[in-house]
């Protein structure tokens, strides 16, 4: 799940005419950027006196491991100049150096060094498991591991639980040779506990995670600790999960690669559930190749997750698809212009449009063909007014500006209609197998309503509903839990209708968007849809909404920063089981942009929450298109 809802409306035929004037031809030439001196000065005030190197990273046995790739580390391992145990210790030292400020790592595995040493022994004996042999990783705290750590979604209600099986993805990671260093922090309950008045990236057990680029700014999404740890070199690669934006959004906001696979490519067995039809276990890396190496280690068919039984995957895996910018000479991408590029706040906020257009121009210069999709793709747009409302009345599927429904979505097919039921049903299934120490009253919990009740009854001694600093809900602290519990997890006819209504439309939107008719009548399949992965302007990132509803894959590549120094990314949409193509094209885009600006840790000592708005007072409205930008509210 992603950030909170942001009401927005899209426009009319008159608005579209303005958009078409702005993007005449294929040029995608940015109109002259407006100057917003007050806003830029506001950003600059927060960026003053930032140290160039707040946390210098020491060498590891003489090696510069800062931003080192898995391939490079494997060379050092192979020549005997570095061991997995030594590398693991260096990352433990880095965590100790930085985590009091970042709160990205929730709990460490006390056996990490011994696991690494055992893998070193295997290598010395001639056994090599593959690219991930001896590579330290972190895993999100909603993924159950049988190390001497708790897996509790960051909260106290499930702290200390025992589950009879380790998560399938962790079993796979261990078999591939990964060293599980510990659990990364997350937005508590993977952003499924509250949707109002909560602090993104906060958990009771892990504290408030921070964006290393600017600590006054949001981390976005729930897999925050995984993305932060990778970017700040606390770890090489990390595992996250996504129901709606929880891999994509922190990847974009923190400047790392994120891969959210097709639902069913990676098993959810042993993962505390959010939605059986949307949850996906994904990866974070500093490069597409590294994120793909980890994906190769964890995907596969699991009899305990029937969504995996029909998966279609290449025998050679996904890292083998990594390419360079040469493939762009024949690549064709689509830009779903309205509304993702025309009115999304993060694109139209001051200075952002030019940055995105510069990146698009760079891949065009490398040979890519860019198709401006200026007509509505069925089902992808929020339709609310004028002629669109009557012509495309069936297209209201998702708020394209982030979490929530499009204006006019019938209540019986609202996004929460199925998700709330999923959450309640998923928790009941989890609690049926989870146990607690003997005599612990939590052994009596069997439903999500029981968990919510336990939180209320024990709040005085546990702080189970959060605190006044990081959790702002003054009523319950768990409005989403309460709403989900009220459904009793009942999979009735209305549930199945709402689920399929949204899922089928989202799939049609992506698949339809990837088919394009040229002016000469030739029909071609695009290599991907490019969607901005950026926050700000009064709305959350939009890149995850439709793929989440579809259960389809999406990959994001970092490519720039905004005026607050916070990164932005580019998402690529693909078809079901299309991860290989996403890796191929994502790595090509990364080869062109090669963006890797180090975090400057602006406002390092702040404890401020709520986070500052990106561009205070700015919003994207239909009228703003007359100037091609967000305007003062």
């Amino acid at each position: 799940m992603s950030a909170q809802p942001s009401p927005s409306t899209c426009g009319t035929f008159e608005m579209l005419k303005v958009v078409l004037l702005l993007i005449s031809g294929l040029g995608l030439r940015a109109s002259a950027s407006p100057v917003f001196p007050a806003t830029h000065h506001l950003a600059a005030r927060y960026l003053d006196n930032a140290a160039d190197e707040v946390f210098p990273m020491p060498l590891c046995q003489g090696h510069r491991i800062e931003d080192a790739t898995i391939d490079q580390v494997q060379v050092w391992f192979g020549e005997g100049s570095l061991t997995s145990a030594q590398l693991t210790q260096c990352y433990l030292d880095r965590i100790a150096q930085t985590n009091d400020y970042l709160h990205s790592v929730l709990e460490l595995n006390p056996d990490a060094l011994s696991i690494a040493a055992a893998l070193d022994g295997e290598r010395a004996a001639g056994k090599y498991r593959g690219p991930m042999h001896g590579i330290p990783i972190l895993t999100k705290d909603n993924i159950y591991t049988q190390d001497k750590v708790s897996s509790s979604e960051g909260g106290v209600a499930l702290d200390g639980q025992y589950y009879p099986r380790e998560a399938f993805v962790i079993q796979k990671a261990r078999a591939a040779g990964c060293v599980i260093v510990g659990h990364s922090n997350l937005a508590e309950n993977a952003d499924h506990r509250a949707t109002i008045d909560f602090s993104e990236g906060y958990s009771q057990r892990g504290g408030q995670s921070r964006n290393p680029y600017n600590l006054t700014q949001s981390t976005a999404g729930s897999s925050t600790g995984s993305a932060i740890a990778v970017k700040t070199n606390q770890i090489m690669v990390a595992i996250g999960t996504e129901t709606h934006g929880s891999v994509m959004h922190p990847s974009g906001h923190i400047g790392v690669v994120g891969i959210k696979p097709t639902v069913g490519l990676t098993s959810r067995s042993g993962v505390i559930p959010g939605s059986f039809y949307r949850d996906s276990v994904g990866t974070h890396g500093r490069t597409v190749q590294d994120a793909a190496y980890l994906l190769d280690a964890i995907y596969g068919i699991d009899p305990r997750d029937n969504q995996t039984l029909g998966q279609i995957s290449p025998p050679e895996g996904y890292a083998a698809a990594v390419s360079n910018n040469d493939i762009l000479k024949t690549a064709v991408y689509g830009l779903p212009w309205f509304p993702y590029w025309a009115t999304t706040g993060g694109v139209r906020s001051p200075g952002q449009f030019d940055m995105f257009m510069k990146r698009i121009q760079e891949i065009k210069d490398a040979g890519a063909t860019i198709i401006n999709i200026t007509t509505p793709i069925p089902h992808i747009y929020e339709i609310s007014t004028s002629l669109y409302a009557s012509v495309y009345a069936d297209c209201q599927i998702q708020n394209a500006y982030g979490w929530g429904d499009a204006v006019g979505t019938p209540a019986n097919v609202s996004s929460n209609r199925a998700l709330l039921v999923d959450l309640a049903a998923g928790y009941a299934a989890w609690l049926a197998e989870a146990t607690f120490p003997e005599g612990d009253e939590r052994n009596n919990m069997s439903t999500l309503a029981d968990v919510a009740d336990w939180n209320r009854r024990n709040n005085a001694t546990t702080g189970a509903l959060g605190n006044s600093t990081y959790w702002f809900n003054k009523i319950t602290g768990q409005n989403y839990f309460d709403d989900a519990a009220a459904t009793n997890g009942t999979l009735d006819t209305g549930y199945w209708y709402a689920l399929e209504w949204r899922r089928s439309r989202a799939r049609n939107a992506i698949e339809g968007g990837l088919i394009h008719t040229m002016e000469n009548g030739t029909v071609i399949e695009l290599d991907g849809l490019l969607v901005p992965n950026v926050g700000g302007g009064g709305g959350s990132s939009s890149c995850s909404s439709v793929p989440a509803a579809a259960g389809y894959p999406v990959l994001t590549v970092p490519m720039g920063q905004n005026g607050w120094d916070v990164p932005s990314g580019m998402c690529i949409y693909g078809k079901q089981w299309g991860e290989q193509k996403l890796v191929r094209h994502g790595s090509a885009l990364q080869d062109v942009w090669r963006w890797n600006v180090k975090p400057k840790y602006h406002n390092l000592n702040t404890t401020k929450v709520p986070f500052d708005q990106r561009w205070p007072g700015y919003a994207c409205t239909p009228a703003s298109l007359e100037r091609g930008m967000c305007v003062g509210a």
Side-chain angles (χ1 to χ4, degrees):
M1 195 171 289
S2 72
Q4 305 168 45
S6 175
S8 302
T9 58
C10 294
T12 63
F13 253 55
E14 289 70 29
M15 289 169 54
L16 184 57
K17 290 177 184 176
V18 176
V19 175
L20 293 173
L21 289 173
L22 289 173
I23 55 171
S24 57
L26 279 183
L28 280 173
R29 294 182 295 273
S31 55
S33 280
V35 176
F36 295 99
T39 305
H40 280 297
H41 288 167
L42 179 62
R45 175 166 62 85
Y46 281 90
L47 303 183
D48 285 344
N49 303 316
D52 288 336
E53 190 62 61
V54 178
F55 294 115
M57 189 164 183
L59 297 178
C60 184
Q61 299 297 311
H63 294 295
R64 177 183 169 87
I65 63 168
E66 185 176 22
D67 294 343
T69 65
I70 289 173
D71 281 350
Q72 179 61 71
V73 167
Q74 288 296 350
V75 169
W76 294 330
F77 284 168
E79 66 188 19
S81 60
L82 183 68
T83 68
S84 176
Q86 290 168 340
L87 180 62
T88 300
Q89 183 61 62
C90 289
Y91 283 126
L92 291 171
D93 293 343
R94 178 66 168 177
I95 292 168
Q97 180 190 27
T98 58
N99 206 56
D100 284 348
Y101 296 91
L102 299 174
H103 298 285
S104 43
V105 180
L106 192 154
E107 191 170 3
L108 294 173
N109 177 8
D111 296 325
L113 288 173
S114 62
I115 293 170
L119 289 163
D120 287 331
E122 286 187 7
R123 187 187 298 271
K127 180 178 180 179
Y128 175 63
R129 302 192 186 198
M132 294 304 296
H133 188 122
I135 299 298
I137 74 168
L138 287 168
T139 184
K140 190 175 176 181
D141 191 53
N142 62 339
I143 301 173
Y144 190 80
T145 67
Q146 290 182 336
D147 299 303
K148 299 185 183 83
V149 294
S150 185
S151 303
S152 68
E153 292 191 307
V156 295
L158 298 182
D159 190 15
Q161 70 174 321
Y162 172 79
Y163 196 72
R165 293 172 303 280
E166 190 163 62
F168 183 77
V169 293
I170 298 300
Q171 296 176 39
K172 294 273 293 181
R174 290 195 200 278
C178 297
V179 179
I180 312 297
V181 171
H183 286 200
S184 55
N185 198 11
L186 73 167
E188 189 162 321
N189 298 116
D191 263 350
H192 295 131
R193 199 181 86 179
T195 57
I196 57 174
D197 298 328
F198 73 104
S199 182
E200 189 67 85
Y202 167 75
S203 75
Q204 296 160 76
R205 293 185 58 231
Q208 177 64 62
S209 61
R210 291 285 176 174
N211 192 316
Y213 285 88
N214 188 336
L215 279 76
T216 69
Q217 298 294 293
S218 176
T219 56
S222 77
S223 300
T224 55
S226 293
I228 296 167
V230 168
K231 189 65 203 180
T232 59
N233 285 280
Q234 292 180 324
I235 206 70
M236 292 202 71
V237 287
I239 300 176
T241 67
E242 174 160 327
T243 305
H244 184 121
S246 290
V247 170
M248 287 297 102
H249 295 171
S251 296
H253 284 61
I254 297 163
V256 298
V257 171
I259 302 175
K260 192 276 286 191
T262 302
V263 171
L265 185 69
T266 49
S267 170
R268 287 80 50 82
S269 173
V271 180
I272 302 172
S275 168
F276 183 69
Y277 294 98
R278 287 202 185 189
D279 287 351
S280 179
V281 180
T283 62
H284 299 274
R286 290 187 288 273
T287 67
V288 173
Q289 184 170 47
D290 283 0
Y293 274 142
L294 184 54
L295 179 61
D296 282 344
I298 65 174
Y299 84 88
I301 294 173
D302 175 12
R304 292 187 180 276
D305 183 348
N306 63 20
Q307 291 275 16
T308 69
L309 302 182
Q311 68 178 236
I312 301 172
S313 55
E316 68 275 19
Y318 296 99
V322 167
S323 64
N324 57 35
N325 61 38
D326 285 344
I327 73 160
L328 296 180
K329 296 172 184 176
T330 58
V332 184
Y333 304 117
L335 301 190
W337 192 263
F338 188 78
Y340 287 139
W341 292 90
T343 58
T344 297
V347 177
R348 292 293 172 168
S349 297
Q352 288 290 88
F353 186 78
D354 279 350
M355 178 191 72
F356 275 100
M357 292 301 100
K358 179 176 183 292
R359 294 308 191 200
I360 294 295
Q361 186 61 51
E362 287 169 355
I363 60 175
K364 287 178 62 181
D365 292 343
T369 298
I370 304 296
I371 304 293
N372 300 328
I373 304 174
T374 56
T375 56
I377 299 173
H379 310 312
I380 207 168
Y381 298 108
E382 177 183 357
I383 309 302
S384 59
T385 58
S386 190
L387 184 59
Y388 277 154
S390 58
V391 175
Y392 298 108
D394 191 40
C395 295
Q396 301 177 24
I397 166 185
Q398 192 75 44
N399 180 346
Y401 299 95
W403 173 250
D405 295 315
V407 171
T409 300
N412 68 315
V413 290
S414 70
S415 56
N416 282 334
R417 175 65 180 84
L419 285 171
L420 291 170
V421 174
D422 275 352
L423 186 61
Y427 258 75
W430 181 268
L431 291 169
E433 296 195 85
T435 57
F436 296 87
E438 185 176 353
D440 193 315
E441 66 169 341
R442 291 176 295 172
N443 281 311
N444 296 320
M445 297 191 308
S446 61
T447 67
L448 181 60
D450 293 336
V451 176
D453 182 60
W454 188 90
N455 284 339
R456 280 187 289 269
R457 288 187 292 104
N458 292 276
N459 189 50
T461 55
T462 65
L465 299 181
N467 59 58
S468 59
T469 304
Y470 296 115
W471 207 275
F472 313 113
N473 189 314
K474 301 299 190 294
I475 303 172
T476 71
Q478 53 183 0
N479 71 292
Y480 207 73
F481 268 16
D482 290 337
D483 291 346
T487 72
N488 294 315
T490 303
L491 305 178
D492 57 13
T493 301
Y495 163 83
W496 293 111
Y497 179 80
L499 172 69
E500 188 54 32
W501 185 93
R502 187 168 297 270
R503 182 169 60 177
S504 62
R505 282 160 174 75
R507 290 180 173 184
N508 288 340
I510 294 173
E511 292 178 7
L514 288 168
I515 300 299
H516 183 74
T517 302
M518 305 293 284
E519 290 183 0
N520 63 4
T522 302
V523 177
I524 63 171
E525 181 175 334
L526 306 183
D527 291 304
L529 297 174
L530 302 184
V531 176
N533 188 3
V534 58
S540 61
S541 177
S542 59
C543 99
S544 288
S545 296
V546 175
Y552 278 14
V554 57
L555 181 149
T556 186
V557 176
M559 40 134 279
Q561 289 165 278
N562 67 16
W564 298 93
D565 249 14
V566 174
S568 300
M570 188 75 76
C571 285
I572 312 176
Y573 288 4
K575 290 185 177 181
Q576 186 179 38
W577 316 122
E579 287 81 359
Q580 191 175 48
K581 179 176 277 191
L582 294 186
V583 167
R584 181 180 301 115
H585 288 274
S587 55
L589 299 186
Q590 188 170 48
D591 189 40
V592 172
W593 296 328
R594 300 194 179 197
W595 183 90
N596 186 27
V597 176
K598 293 182 182 179
K600 295 293 183 66
Y601 303 96
H602 297 299
N603 309 295
L604 180 64
N605 293 306
T606 187
T607 57
K608 177 180 175 55
V609 283
F611 298 115
D612 285 337
Q613 295 181 44
R614 289 288 166 79
W615 303 109
Y618 284 83
C620 285
T621 65
S624 75
L625 284 182
E626 294 179 6
R627 296 175 60 195
M629 66 196 78
C630 295
V631 297

